[in-house]
Amino acid sequence: MDVYKITGENRLKGTIKVSGAKNSAVALIPASILASSPVTIGGIPEISDAWTLKALLEEIGGEVSFEDGKMVIDPSEMVALPLPNGNVKKLRASYYLMGAMLGRFKKAVIGLPGGCFLGPRPIDQHIKGFEALGAKITNEHGAIYLRADELIGAKIYLDVASVGATINIMLAAVRAKGRTIIENAAKEPEIIDVATLLTNMGANIKGAGTSVIRIDGVDELHGTEHTIIPDRIEAATFMIMAAAVGDGITIDNVIPLHLEAITAKLREMGVKIEIGDESIYIPKTDLAKLQAVDVKTLVYPGFPTDIQQPLSVLMTQALGSSKVTDTIYSARFKHIDELRRMNANARVEGNTAIITGPNELHGSTVTATDLRAGAALVLAGLLAEGVTEIHDIYHIERGYSSLIEKLRDLGADIRRETIMVGAGELKEK
């Protein structure tokens, strides 16, 4: 079994570059299915989710090359093969294949998606949207069957401003007949990124990034070239790391506008932040002056749920009791138990975590229960005294590209090791 081993208390310094956005990549790659000629997407992070999607596109007849962050997809020979299990189960974002295949082939069979377990994340809004466009949807043996004679534009109101549903309905609607209006659409930057790709492919989309998106269907989409936006969640993770263990760190390849909620919260805690056009510099933070804060996660442009876990590590160093209320995923507090193994003073009450500091963290053996919990544990390991061993690192590698190399370049003592697991331990895992 592969683990990360981190020897903590090393101060980090230098420049760290942010990769392309994971949450964009996992939608942009399936969107290429809708084109009739090759699509080139630059800046894709080299993460396991991207490789899984490459394999899925190849399974349905796509020709795909992926090197140095550039994916070239030729969708011209693709066919509507069923994808009931296998790779499709490995990542939650495989549900974007539903919208893309429905849009192109008017049918799809997709196994129910996997990914990080963060409590119930239903796809009922996606299905409601597909049905409004004229698709018939059934769940048979754990796979979703989608069929439509034709797709016809409709007015769709989302009960929840879901990023996944907004993108999925966009994918299905760009080649539908007539106009589709998505109301209460999510406003995340990744939605604008997908809309930009689709528009460059010939789609007619207005209002992406606002709560009302209008799509006029077109008969055909063609190939194009597109570069993905930087990953705001990775950037925010590095900002928190710079505050916790940095002696002056520049975070390069960022869009500061996408990070305003995080910047404001870190400044409230007492972190100094200097903002450039495409970079952010965080000088050494005096941890003795860090103040406790309250955070409530909200949909964009509010504070992202993906960042409350890494931020909770910095909260262990702040004076007083910080509160994190997660209104998006109430089950997103599994990292708290792991941080407690490292001597954090933290507890969970309902959908709120209460973290009291300052508290010195101690190295321990911990488990990454999901992607962002894993990121939090890496930060905790960098900060803690002694050695931290992180298990189930495959969660982390679903979302952070070249993490070890990036951290080592700043002076971190982190390595990946293969350890032997006894039969008894394997059962527990």
Side-chain angles (χ1 to χ4, degrees), residues 127-147:
I127 287 167
K128 172 177 142 172
F130 296 149
E131 286 177 337
L133 295 171
K136 288 194 172 44
I137 293 156
T138 53
N139 182 346
E140 299 167 31
H141 317 299
I144 307 270
Y145 283 68
L146 306 98
R147 308 173 182 89

Side-chain angles (χ1 to χ4, degrees), residues 225-410:
E225 287 200 16
H226 178 80
T227 302
I228 201 164
I229 56 171
D231 195 312
R232 62 197 169 94
I233 306 301
E234 185 183 352
T237 305
F238 295 155
M239 286 169 75
I240 295 163
M241 177 189 75
V245 292
D247 275 350
I249 291 179
T250 300
I251 298 131
D252 203 11
N253 189 34
V254 299
I255 299 176
L257 173 72
H258 294 171
L259 295 160
E260 283 181 344
I262 292 105
T263 302
K265 200 47 79 174
L266 287 174
R267 282 179 169 156
E268 194 184 321
M269 290 180 82
V271 178
K272 290 191 168 52
I273 299 171
E274 297 169 19
I275 292 173
D277 291 340
E278 291 182 359
S279 66
I280 288 176
Y281 175 72
I282 297 185
K284 182 175 181 175
T285 301
D286 184 354
L287 293 182
K289 292 184 178 166
L290 272 192
Q291 295 299 313
V293 289
D294 288 356
V295 169
K296 190 175 190 179
T297 66
L298 293 162
V299 295
Y300 187 84
F303 193 92
T305 171
D306 283 31
I307 283 304
Q308 61 92 344
Q309 290 153 295
L311 189 68
S312 61
V313 176
L314 190 60
M315 288 171 167
T316 67
Q317 304 306 301
L319 178 66
S321 287
S322 296
K323 278 188 356 198
V324 179
T325 304
D326 202 321
T327 64
I328 316 279
Y329 299 134
S330 55
R332 205 165 201 168
F333 289 119
K334 296 203 178 82
H335 63 295
I336 294 292
D337 280 344
E338 303 302 311
L339 290 177
R340 284 171 65 175
R341 291 175 201 265
M342 299 177 72
N343 196 42
N345 180 354
R347 67 185 194 276
V348 178
E349 292 178 3
N351 65 343
T352 301
I354 298 149
I355 297 142
T356 304
N359 232 15
E360 192 174 307
L361 299 182
H362 303 312
S364 180
T365 298
V366 289
T367 302
T369 51
D370 60 75
L371 167 56
R372 307 303 172 186
L377 295 177
V378 170
L379 297 190
L382 293 169
L383 190 58
E385 167 214 21
V387 177
T388 298
E389 185 178 292
I390 304 175
H391 291 222
D392 291 356
I393 57 171
Y394 63 87
H395 283 301
I396 302 169
E397 293 178 348
R398 282 190 43 243
Y400 291 88
S401 173
S402 314
L403 185 63
I404 286 185
E405 293 80 358
K406 287 182 183 182
L407 296 182
R408 275 188 169 162
D409 285 348
L410 296 176

Side-chain angles (χ1 to χ4, degrees), residues 164-175:
T166 302
I167 291 177
N168 231 341
I169 294 164
M170 269 189 350
L171 294 174
V174 285
R175 286 179 60 173

